[in-house]
Amino acid sequence: MTSELDIFVGNTTLIDEDVYRLWLDGYSVGDAVALRVRSGILEQTGATAAVLQSDTMDHYRTFHMLERLLHAPPKLLHQLIYQIPPSRQALLIERYYAFDEAFVREVLGKKLSKGTKKDLDDISTKTGITLKSCRRQFDNFKRVFKVVEEMRGSLVDNIQQHFLLSDRLARDYAAIVFFANNRFETGKKKLQYLSFGDFAFCAELMIQNWTLGAVDSQVDDMDMDLDKEFLQDLKELKVLVADKDLLDLHKSLVCTALRGKLGVFSEMEANFKNLSRGLVNVATKLTHNKDVRDLFVDLVEKFVEPCRSDHWPLSDVRLFLNQYSASVHSLDGFRNLPKAVRPHLAAPPPLPQRVSPCGHQRGCHKT
């Protein structure tokens, strides 16, 4: 008895996006098969359970073999073993380095060390993300950090060059690296309303205005380290609240400019001195490492919470901070000190609206 068998031979590596997502999410082959069955794939394709099991295992083997190349994405582009179209290569890389916002919020600002990695079991339980996926995401953060920490040049450009990520994902990884390097506290209860997108927005402004790279493009770690000279210069702002006449003049300039423009003008006028003292005190303490780490905690306590209690809309916060900074340049003694009073000095974390200051949501990269 003879049997006929149709055989197709090709050299293009097949990538099933759905199975790739299950693999990235940390599901075992058995769990992945069960999820595929529940999706109705057997009815759609007419395949048997055995064929589905074999297909899933085959894809998982392929992804395991590709993983070492995904650790250094340029190698995936230049290797000749797996024939994968460029568009598929980009998809594999982007999704491998994607992350869950719930996970990144748990590790943001923490040292990317073995100590933090030991907490992944608890993070997995808390977030509902599989432990395997938590480990992949953590290892990705650590890998990117290790590669770019000693490099000169733009942090975003270095990440894009060495990991071939999209601009948006590279910017978010830059924020993760920046926060890990400076160890900013983000886990306190009063900061939980802030999303990763909120922190990433702040990181982008700080990299552009507060780092060594904002002053000198030839220094090492230019986008990683805060400019200590700049932080020292901020001490000169203390006169804004220590000198009563200057404080009164600053208040007068801000109130004159904003009269009729703020919905909370009366609250702002009555609370101006306390708000100004809060902002200046936060700024003048940034020469100490602990105060740098507590920057967001202090800003929420000294500025955000008072504004929240008076029901300031985000538009009024923006107007006030812009005018607060601009008015300083009109004061005697500050006209020739543009560095000491940079426009983003008074840029605290956003108030708890769900839209970040840049006008859109960010942070969740699950695709």
Side-chain angles (χ1 to χ4, degrees):
M1 180 178 178
T2 60
S3 299
E4 292 185 2
L5 182 66
D6 292 329
I7 299 176
F8 174 79
V9 178
N11 64 351
T12 300
T13 302
L14 300 178
I15 304 294
D16 186 303
E17 294 183 33
D18 293 330
V19 180
Y20 187 50
R21 185 179 292 108
L22 293 170
W23 179 74
L24 290 175
D25 286 344
Y27 291 106
S28 66
V29 171
D31 289 339
V33 170
L35 288 169
R36 297 184 77 188
V37 169
R38 284 202 291 272
S39 74
I41 192 171
L42 295 182
E43 292 77 13
Q44 295 166 16
T45 62
T48 65
V51 169
L52 186 64
Q53 174 86 11
S54 177
D55 178 71
T56 305
M57 289 180 64
D58 185 55
H59 280 296
Y60 267 50
R61 280 192 293 267
T62 299
F63 300 145
H64 282 302
M65 290 187 290
L66 288 173
E67 189 165 21
R68 64 181 180 81
L69 298 174
L70 289 167
H71 290 171
K75 290 183 179 179
L76 179 64
L77 268 63
H78 299 129
Q79 57 79 37
L80 300 176
I81 299 174
Y82 306 100
Q83 301 301 306
I84 305 173
S87 61
R88 284 287 176 173
Q89 291 178 342
L91 179 144
L92 287 170
I93 295 167
E94 191 80 358
R95 291 191 177 176
Y96 188 79
Y97 284 91
F99 54 83
D100 294 277
E101 174 162 345
F103 176 76
V104 74
R105 275 297 280 115
E106 293 296 322
V107 301
L108 188 65
K110 293 182 179 180
K111 190 173 183 180
L112 300 174
S113 63
K114 291 182 180 178
T116 303
K117 194 169 185 177
K118 290 179 181 177
D119 297 332
L120 295 185
D121 281 326
D122 293 335
I123 293 174
S124 174
T125 301
K126 180 179 178 180
T127 60
I129 300 166
T130 65
L131 180 58
K132 188 172 182 180
S133 181
C134 287
R135 286 174 176 162
R136 173 183 59 82
Q137 295 177 56
F138 180 85
D139 288 343
N140 285 346
F141 297 161
K142 185 175 180 178
R143 185 181 308 110
V144 173
F145 183 95
K146 289 294 185 183
V147 168
V148 302
E149 65 176 329
E150 300 295 339
M151 289 183 176
R152 293 189 179 190
S154 163
L155 192 52
V156 174
D157 290 347
N158 287 336
I159 291 171
Q160 283 189 295
Q161 179 182 349
H162 288 83
F163 292 92
L164 310 180
L165 305 182
S166 66
D167 180 73
R168 179 70 275 147
L169 189 53
R171 289 182 184 279
D172 285 335
Y173 265 86
I176 293 166
V177 169
F178 180 71
F179 268 67
N181 184 66
N182 292 285
R183 305 289 298 281
F184 292 114
E185 173 61 60
T186 67
K188 291 287 178 67
K189 185 176 180 180
K190 62 181 57 187
L191 299 179
Q192 290 307 303
Y193 77 91
L194 291 166
S195 69
F196 169 73
D198 295 328
F199 283 117
F201 174 80
C202 293
E204 198 164 326
L205 286 181
M206 293 170 76
I207 289 171
Q208 292 170 3
N209 295 280
W210 290 23
T211 62
L212 290 167
V215 186
D216 184 354
S217 61
Q218 299 305 310
V219 297
D220 292 330
D221 306 333
M222 54 180 272
D223 282 354
M224 298 270 284
D225 297 324
L226 296 174
D227 179 5
K228 295 191 184 304
E229 183 181 348
F230 164 58
L231 299 181
Q232 189 66 37
D233 286 343
L234 294 180
K235 284 184 172 291
E236 298 183 45
L237 295 170
K238 197 153 193 174
V239 68
L240 287 173
V241 294
D243 186 317
K244 184 179 183 304
D245 292 337
L246 204 59
L247 178 57
D248 289 339
L249 179 56
H250 190 199
K251 176 181 177 180
S252 176
L253 289 171
V254 173
C255 290
T256 298
L258 295 181
R259 193 178 302 276
K261 297 179 181 179
L262 289 186
V264 290
F265 180 83
S266 297
E267 291 84 350
M268 182 276 292
E269 186 177 32
N271 207 27
F272 179 88
K273 293 182 180 181
N274 288 333
L275 293 174
S276 186
R277 287 192 184 97
L279 289 171
V280 170
N281 287 339
V282 170
T284 56
K285 293 193 302 180
L286 291 178
T287 50
H288 306 291
N289 289 337
K290 182 183 184 305
D291 292 309
V292 170
R293 287 197 295 270
D294 289 340
L295 171 64
F296 295 96
V297 176
D298 292 339
L299 281 171
V300 166
E301 288 180 351
K302 306 293 186 184
F303 184 82
V304 174
E305 288 180 346
C307 291
R308 185 191 299 169
S309 66
D310 283 338
H311 307 290
W312 285 46
L314 188 57
S315 57
D316 281 4
V317 175
R318 285 189 179 128
L319 281 173
F320 171 76
L321 290 176
N322 288 335
Q323 192 56 49
Y324 181 91
S325 295
S327 297
V328 170
H329 293 280
S330 301
L331 301 174
D332 289 339
F334 284 92
R335 291 190 178 92
N336 298 320
L337 291 174
K339 182 182 177 185
V341 191
R342 296 188 185 182
H344 295 298
L345 164 64
L351 292 173
Q353 278 96 345
R354 294 276 41 99
V355 179
S356 67
C358 51
H360 54 80
Q361 300 272 9
R362 287 171 50 185
C364 186
H365 291 277
K366 293 288 289 184
T367 54

